Amino acid sequence: MREGGHILALVLKEAKDFSRPGMSTLDIDKYVGRLCLKYKVMPAFRGYQNYGYNVCASVNDEIVHGVPKKDKILKEGDMLSLDFGVLHKGFNTDAAITFGIGKIDPIKKKLIDAAEKSFFKGAKKIKDGAYLGDVSAEIQKYIESKDFSVIRSLAGHGIGREIHEEPSIANFGKKGTGVILKEGMTLAIEPMLAEKGFDLRLGDDGWTYSTIDGGMSSHFEHTIAVTKRGYDILTA
Ligand code: MF3
Ligand code: CO
């Protein structure tokens, strides 16, 4: 997973550097396809429940699972989340980043920053013997301290031979509750947040989730391994 996760991180970075105004999200998906050939890894999402693409590309008020489209053209000032998975030697890794296309306004910057920081706040609670609820509660506390809302109906997850395994990892919750973490567990932790309300709707494409009120949304994800004293990022 560490091997695959490292390649995943390289692909996400190269895809970010490639993204420019005027490009479609399908152009980015095709570029990621070429990177998969270059690095000789399988895109884990392609074929998952008949998903037909390499990445999920979610723009502005789209939360996650944005389907790449020829007519979804990026403009200066947009924010883009790229979510990507790698299947390597029988094991999956999953990670996501959100970033600006050119210059973005301060609220988008704040959302991007809050997604990333909330991940690290939550991750700080991870270690052998810790409650999963401690991680969830910490993510929620940070996001709400920035006056953003936590998406409720989507969650992180265990990951390994399958992309989605037990346990489900909510981005909100109560300290001292839930699963007890054990050294060697591999988890995809992925805070998803919104500028205004957390209610979402599913698009006509059957995949893309957007906020109902049109508020902007950001997402950040790493696959990690639980260790005796903390955690290791496998998608670094
Ligand atoms: N990273 C996504 C998640 O954990 C995986 C999406 S699978 C896809 O939900 F098929 F939607 F791409
Ligand atoms: Co995930």
Side-chain angles (χ1 to χ4, degrees), residues 44-56 64-66 83-85 93-96 154-157 159 163-164 188 190 192 207 219 221:
F45 301 170
R46 183 178 279 281
Y48 178 83
Q49 293 180 5
N50 291 322
Y51 188 72
Y53 301 90
N54 304 306
V55 282
C56 299
V64 286
H65 299 176
D83 188 350
F84 180 52
T93 44
D94 185 1
L154 298 165
H157 47 94
I159 181 167
I163 302 184
H164 294 139
E190 50 180 321
M192 291 160 265
W207 285 98
H219 180 207
E221 175 177 26

Side-chain angles (χ1 to χ4, degrees), residues 11 47 98 120 153 223 235:
V11 170
T98 305
F120 286 102
S153 51
T223 296
T235 43

